[in-house]
Amino acid sequence: MCLDFNGRSPYAQALPSSDSMNTFTRLFRPAIALVAFSTAPLSAADKIELKQRWVAGKHYFMTAQTSQQSTIEMGPQKIDQTVTTTMDMSMAVRPIADGKSKRLTLKFERVAMEMSMNGQKMGFDSAKPGEGTDPLGLAKSVGASAGKELNILLNDNDEIIEVENYDEFIKQVAPSPLPGMDPSKMFSKEALGQMMKQGALQALPGKPVAPGDSWPFTNELALPQLGKVGVRGTYTFKGMSQHGGLSCAEILIDAAISLDFASADADASAQGQAIAKLGMKVTDGSLKGTVWFDTQLGIGRESQIDQQMTMTMKNPTDPSATLSVPTKQHISTLLTKVEDIK
C-alpha cells in the first residue's frame, strides 16, 4: 500500500509564500507511496525462502502515517514546516470462482492531515467532521475517500489486473482546489498498487537466504506533472526476532532516492512550469529502515522508515542565488489486526 500516501503539503497556497515555494511544498507527496516497504514469510532455518501473498478469507486492517519536516530559508525569512498524514485502511480478500483470482476490497476507513508552519496549524480528520481548520476544503476532496471502497481483482501472483468500480469511486471524490491533487491520479491503478505494497516486498531474492544475505530492489513511479521518482537499494535479512510478542523476520532497508524533474511535462501543469523555471534538483536522497514480518501470517506487522533528501533550486527572490532545503520524513506502517471475514 501507499504509504505514503501522496504526502504533498496541501495547505501551502493558503500561507504567505511565493507560488514557487508553494509548489515546492507539494512536490514530495507522490514519493511517499514509494517508501513504505515490508517483507515476506520466512522460516527459522539457516536458509529461508521468501514468498508473499494475500490470503483469501482474511480481513486486514492497517494504519500508515507519514510525518515530513522541512526548513526553508530565504534571506531573513525562515519557514519551519511539518506535515503529518494518517490513513487507516482495511483490505478484505475473497476467492473468485476460478480458484486462482481473488477480489480485494480496499476501504479507506479514515484520512487525516495536519500541517504546522511557523506556529500556524491547519488540518482535518475524517473521523471528526467539522473540526479543525481547513481553509481549502481538503476534507471534501482528499478526505472524501474516507468510507469509500474499491474492488480490486488480483491474479494468482497477487498482481492487480482490474479495478472494478474505479469510475464510480472517482465520481464520489470531489475535485481538489489545488493543482496536482487530481483524484484520478492520486488513486490511479499505479498508486493503488503502491498502497497495497506497504505489506509486500518490492523484489524477491529469487533463492533461499540466510541471516546477513542481501538482495537488490528497484522501483520507479512516473508522475506526468512532476517527472519520475526512483528508489534503488537493498534488503538485508537480519534474522528472526521477537516483535510485539510475535516471532518475526527482521529485514533492514538501505536505499537511495532520486527525483528526475527533467522528464516532467512542463506544459501539463503549474508544477511542471515551476520546476523548469527554478531548475529544481534533489541530492543526498536516502531511505533507511526496518520491517518486521509475521512469518506465520505472511504479511508485514510493522515498518519504521526514515527518508532524507535535500532540494536545491534557484532562489525565487534572487535568481542568481541557490536555495537549499533539507527535508526529512518518517514513515510508519502498522498492521493493527487480522480477522477471518465474517
Side-chain angles (χ1 to χ4, degrees):
M1 313 228 169
C2 80
L3 263 189
D4 127 325
F5 174 70
N6 300 327
R8 226 168 283 150
S9 305
Y11 296 108
Q13 288 189 344
L15 300 170
S17 58
S18 69
D19 289 341
S20 297
M21 296 310 300
N22 287 335
T23 294
F24 161 73
T25 59
R26 296 194 300 271
L27 290 177
F28 292 103
R29 181 171 291 273
I32 293 169
L34 298 176
V35 296
F37 301 107
S38 52
T39 56
L42 310 173
S43 75
D46 288 340
K47 284 201 171 185
I48 48 83
E49 184 178 1
L50 301 179
K51 295 181 180 179
Q52 55 193 35
R53 59 200 171 98
W54 289 100
V55 180
K58 295 294 184 181
H59 199 172
Y60 304 83
F61 295 82
M62 180 181 293
T63 185
Q65 185 175 84
T66 298
S67 180
Q68 175 182 297
Q69 299 87 37
S70 62
T71 299
I72 306 170
E73 294 188 32
M74 300 177 62
Q77 184 180 17
K78 181 179 179 180
I79 302 173
D80 292 314
Q81 176 179 284
T82 300
V83 180
T84 300
T85 303
T86 303
M87 177 167 284
D88 297 337
M89 297 168 284
S90 68
M91 291 147 281
V93 186
R94 297 177 174 86
I96 295 180
D98 63 9
K100 296 182 179 179
S101 304
K102 305 170 189 175
R103 177 176 288 107
L104 184 151
T105 301
L106 171 63
K107 183 177 181 180
F108 300 93
E109 303 284 351
R110 171 180 173 245
V111 180
M113 186 179 296
E114 181 177 303
M115 178 177 178
S116 174
M117 181 177 285
N118 284 359
Q120 183 178 359
K121 294 185 178 181
M122 303 178 185
F124 74 89
D125 187 337
S126 64
K128 301 176 181 179
E131 297 185 17
T133 303
D134 184 17
L136 294 178
L138 270 297
K140 296 180 180 179
S141 52
V142 179
S145 60
K148 306 298 190 301
E149 294 182 346
L150 278 167
N151 293 320
I152 301 169
L153 294 184
L154 307 175
N155 62 19
D156 54 356
N157 291 320
D158 289 340
E159 299 168 332
I160 296 177
I161 55 179
E162 183 182 353
V163 182
E164 294 180 304
N165 61 329
Y166 180 77
D167 291 340
E168 178 185 352
F169 173 83
I170 289 298
K171 289 178 181 178
Q172 297 179 79
V173 182
S176 168
L178 295 180
M181 298 194 74
D182 181 351
S184 66
K185 294 181 173 61
M186 293 173 59
F187 299 101
S188 67
K189 181 177 177 180
E190 190 172 18
L192 290 171
Q194 291 298 329
M195 289 182 204
M196 293 171 59
K197 285 181 180 178
Q198 291 181 30
L201 278 169
Q202 302 296 307
L204 296 171
K207 60 181 180 181
V209 293
D213 285 349
S214 299
W215 63 99
F217 70 92
T218 302
N219 205 340
E220 185 175 274
L221 179 65
L223 305 169
Q225 296 180 335
L226 298 175
K228 294 180 181 179
V229 179
V231 179
R232 184 185 300 271
T234 58
Y235 293 111
T236 299
F237 172 44
K238 184 177 180 180
M240 303 299 295
S241 65
Q242 289 293 312
H243 187 73
L246 299 168
S247 179
C248 295
E250 186 173 348
I251 295 184
L252 308 180
I253 304 169
D254 190 351
I257 301 173
S258 63
L259 277 74
D260 178 13
F261 296 126
S263 62
D265 184 350
D267 296 327
S269 66
Q271 291 99 319
Q273 294 172 14
I275 288 169
K277 183 178 180 181
L278 295 176
M280 293 182 181
K281 296 180 180 179
V282 167
T283 60
D284 305 323
S286 67
L287 183 154
K288 298 179 184 295
T290 304
V291 294
W292 293 268
F293 190 87
D294 186 328
T295 59
Q296 298 298 316
L297 186 61
I299 192 170
R301 283 283 180 181
E302 183 176 357
S303 66
Q304 297 290 337
I305 298 170
D306 289 300
Q307 172 187 313
Q308 298 187 49
M309 64 177 66
T310 300
M311 166 74 75
T312 60
M313 69 184 91
K314 295 178 183 178
N315 190 326
T317 62
D318 181 6
S320 64
T322 300
L323 185 65
S324 180
V325 183
T327 301
K328 295 181 180 181
Q329 286 190 142
H330 181 76
I331 304 101
S332 64
T333 62
L334 179 65
L335 185 70
T336 55
K337 62 180 177 178
V338 180
E339 302 175 340
D340 291 333
I341 295 177
K342 300 175 182 179

